């Protein structure tokens, strides 16, 4: 059962999910893409991103649909390792995994149309899905956002995400680089920094909260980044881990109030483009001092597939990290073999069904 504590004490989880092989979803996506003159890839994946390459959808008609079939392990991990969670808001276009127990007391199934303004629908844009989280009915002020490739492997306490009533995070500079392999993200990160620079002065912010930039326990690499960045008067970008992200719902409302135009522009795009994303909200929290400085990279392992498949399976089986991010890519070749390897590892530590399963 969800707890009866005050909203200030409750912590919810939010996880978006897409079934990329759902024929009705594909039909709607094809219709929208045809309207804007784009061809739709037949690649399917589970996750908040319906597209891999930003707002350009490549014709990939020979590619196979695929699903990692491991979302149940995410729920098992949460129930076993974070039983204190108040509510899980499961965000979906409308499809539900066949194994899901829709009557689970802590589960809130959220359709896009339940919280995203009608003017932005239908959407296949992860930025739209994320930037409107604060509109989810019943969402607690404190919540943690998970991608569906981020799993708990060990017990996690509330204090791992929020401390002193504020999100735990790390304030570190990291230059935005021109990455030809992912140009959309390069544009997004720079656009985020441009918005933030309207409200925060870099050097003044360092003076205002030096302990947030040079917190004992931060990785030495980021001490170095922050020291070097002091030579440059303007923001060049920020470091954000690819793991669970703790948010205050009110921060979303604040940024929407101040930057309605750019957020509306971003959300008006049916597919993800080089606008802004949820890192804007996360970095706003940090620059405004509404966070507790901590090395949140500690206990987090990141594995890129296919090359990191063996390492990922080993980390899962031996529970070497508290959290693992398993990031797949278009280069996965032996998909079935890698999927079986990863899911077998999950099954070895999470063999029992959760209350979220039938």
């Amino acid at each position: 059962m969800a707890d009866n504590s005050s909203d200030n004490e409750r912590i919810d989880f939010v996880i978006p999910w897409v079934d990329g092989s759902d024929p009705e979803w594909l039909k709607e996506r094809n219709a929208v893409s045809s309207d804007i003159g784009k061809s739709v890839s037949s690649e399917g994946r589970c996750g908040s991103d319906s597209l891999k390459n930003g707002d350009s959808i490549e014709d990939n008609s020979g590619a196979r649909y695929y699903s990692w079939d491991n979302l149940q392990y995410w729920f098992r991990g949460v129930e076993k390792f974070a039983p204190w969670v108040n509510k899980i808001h499961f965000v979906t276009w409308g499809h539900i995994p066949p194994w899901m127990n829709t009557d689970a007391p802590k589960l809130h199934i959220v359709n896009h149309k339940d919280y995203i303004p009608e003017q932005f629908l239908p959407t296949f844009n992860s930025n739209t899905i994320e930037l409107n989280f604060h509109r989810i009915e019943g969402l607690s002020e404190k919540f943690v956002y998970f991608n569906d490739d981020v799993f708990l492997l060990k017990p996690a306490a509330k204090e791992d995400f929020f401390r002193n009533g504020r999100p735990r995070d790390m304030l570190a500079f990291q230059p935005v680089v021109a990455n030809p392999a992912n140009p959309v993200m390069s544009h997004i990160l720079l656009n985020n920094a441009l918005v933030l620079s309207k409200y925060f002065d870099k050097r003044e912010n360092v003076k205002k909260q030096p302990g947030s930039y040079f917190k004992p326990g931060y990785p030495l690499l980021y001490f170095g980044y922050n020291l070097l960045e002091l030579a440059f008067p303007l923001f060049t970008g920020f470091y954000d881990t690819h793991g669970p992200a703790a948010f205050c719902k009110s921060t979303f409302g604040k940024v929407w109030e101040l930057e309605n135009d750019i957020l509306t522009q971003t959300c008006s795009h049916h597919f993800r483009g080089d606008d802004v994303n949820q890192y804007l909200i996360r970095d706003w929290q940090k620059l405004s001092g509404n966070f507790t400085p901590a090395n949140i990279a500690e206990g987090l392992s990141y594995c890129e597939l296919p090359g990191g498949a063996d390492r990922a399976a080993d980390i899962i089986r031996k529970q070497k990290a508290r959290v693992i991010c398993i990031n797949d890519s278009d280069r996965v070749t032996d998909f079935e073999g890698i999927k079986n390897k990863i899911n077998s590892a999950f099954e070895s530590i999470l063999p029992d069904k959760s209350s979220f399963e039938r």
Side-chain angles (χ1 to χ4, degrees):
M1 294 292 290
D3 65 44
N4 294 316
S5 58
S6 70
D7 188 58
N8 284 335
E9 297 173 337
R10 293 198 302 265
I11 299 176
D12 289 351
F13 287 174
V14 176
I15 176 171
W17 179 75
V18 170
D19 179 0
S21 63
D22 184 326
E24 292 302 315
W25 178 82
L26 284 166
K27 180 179 178 181
E28 183 171 78
R29 196 178 78 159
N30 274 317
V32 172
S33 63
S34 296
D35 287 344
I36 57 178
K38 294 181 177 181
S39 58
V40 175
S41 164
S42 63
E43 173 197 345
R45 83 181 285 267
C46 298
S48 58
D49 272 339
S50 58
L51 297 175
K52 290 273 191 172
N53 299 312
D55 204 6
S56 60
I57 314 170
E58 299 176 356
D59 186 7
N60 226 356
S61 57
R64 54 165 162 30
Y65 300 115
Y66 67 93
S67 170
W68 289 97
D69 295 325
N70 56 18
L71 184 66
Q72 66 272 29
Y73 297 115
W74 185 89
F75 282 93
R76 292 180 190 183
V78 168
E79 186 164 271
K80 182 174 182 179
F81 301 128
W84 45 262
V85 67
N86 175 65
K87 207 79 173 175
I88 295 172
H89 302 272
F90 181 65
V91 179
T92 168
W93 172 86
H95 25 237
I96 304 294
W99 49 261
M100 180 168 280
N101 173 20
T102 57
D103 295 322
K106 287 190 175 184
L107 181 64
H108 178 208
I109 296 173
V110 185
N111 193 295
H112 290 173
K113 64 184 179 183
D114 293 336
Y115 79 103
I116 297 175
E118 186 176 359
Q119 71 190 93
F120 304 140
L121 295 174
T123 188
F124 308 92
N125 182 348
S126 62
N127 296 334
T128 304
I129 292 167
E130 295 166 342
L131 287 169
N132 288 280
F133 280 157
H134 64 298
R135 307 183 199 275
I136 294 175
E137 184 178 359
L139 180 67
S140 62
E141 168 64 11
K142 300 175 188 175
F143 72 93
V144 184
Y145 168 40
F146 284 80
N147 285 123
D148 69 346
D149 59 0
V150 176
F151 298 82
L152 292 178
L153 301 180
K154 286 182 177 181
K158 289 183 178 183
E159 292 73 24
D160 291 325
F161 304 105
F162 288 87
R163 190 166 294 176
N164 302 322
R166 296 178 297 181
R168 290 178 82 240
D169 215 327
M170 184 160 61
L171 182 48
F173 296 124
Q174 187 175 56
V176 175
V177 296
N179 182 3
N182 191 358
V184 169
M185 187 53 70
S186 296
H187 285 289
I188 287 174
L189 295 177
L190 183 57
N191 287 337
N192 288 346
L194 284 168
V195 173
L196 292 166
S197 68
K198 293 169 58 177
Y199 300 92
F200 304 96
D201 179 270
K202 179 179 179 180
R203 287 176 173 168
E204 286 300 317
N205 199 261
V206 174
K207 290 179 183 178
K208 185 177 181 180
Q209 49 174 343
S212 296
Y213 286 90
F214 300 100
K215 171 74 174 176
Y218 276 6
L220 289 177
L221 175 65
Y222 294 100
F223 270 99
Y225 273 157
N226 286 346
L227 284 171
L228 289 172
E229 281 281 350
L230 293 179
F232 303 96
L234 302 178
F235 292 120
T236 61
F238 302 90
Y239 170 74
D240 292 289
T241 58
H242 192 163
F247 284 105
C248 289
K249 180 172 67 172
S250 54
T251 309
F252 283 75
K254 176 69 173 179
V255 179
W256 268 94
E257 178 185 343
L258 294 171
E259 288 292 333
N260 183 270
D261 288 348
I262 193 168
L263 294 178
T264 296
Q265 173 185 308
T266 295
C267 295
S268 296
H269 297 154
H270 291 294
F271 300 98
R272 190 180 72 167
D274 51 1
D275 300 296
V276 296
N277 72 353
Q278 50 91 11
Y279 286 156
L280 171 62
I281 313 294
R282 185 172 176 181
D283 293 331
W284 185 289
Q285 286 183 157
K286 293 186 282 186
L287 291 174
S288 63
N290 184 29
F291 81 111
T292 298
N295 179 6
I296 61 168
E298 186 177 16
L300 170 65
S301 286
Y302 178 86
C303 298
E304 182 96 21
L305 301 183
D310 289 337
R311 177 171 171 262
D314 184 62
I315 290 170
I316 295 168
R317 286 185 184 277
K318 297 177 182 177
Q319 296 174 275
K320 291 182 176 180
R322 185 175 67 249
V323 180
I324 188 170
C325 175
I326 308 172
N327 191 28
D328 61 312
S329 73
D330 296 330
R331 300 184 303 276
V332 174
T333 51
D334 180 19
F335 172 71
E336 288 299 326
I338 292 175
K339 181 176 80 169
N340 291 337
K341 181 178 296 184
I342 298 295
N343 290 354
S344 175
F346 276 125
E347 184 68 20
S348 71
I349 66 168
L350 296 166
D352 300 323
K353 285 186 178 182
S354 70
S355 63
F356 300 97
E357 297 173 68
R358 298 179 187 273

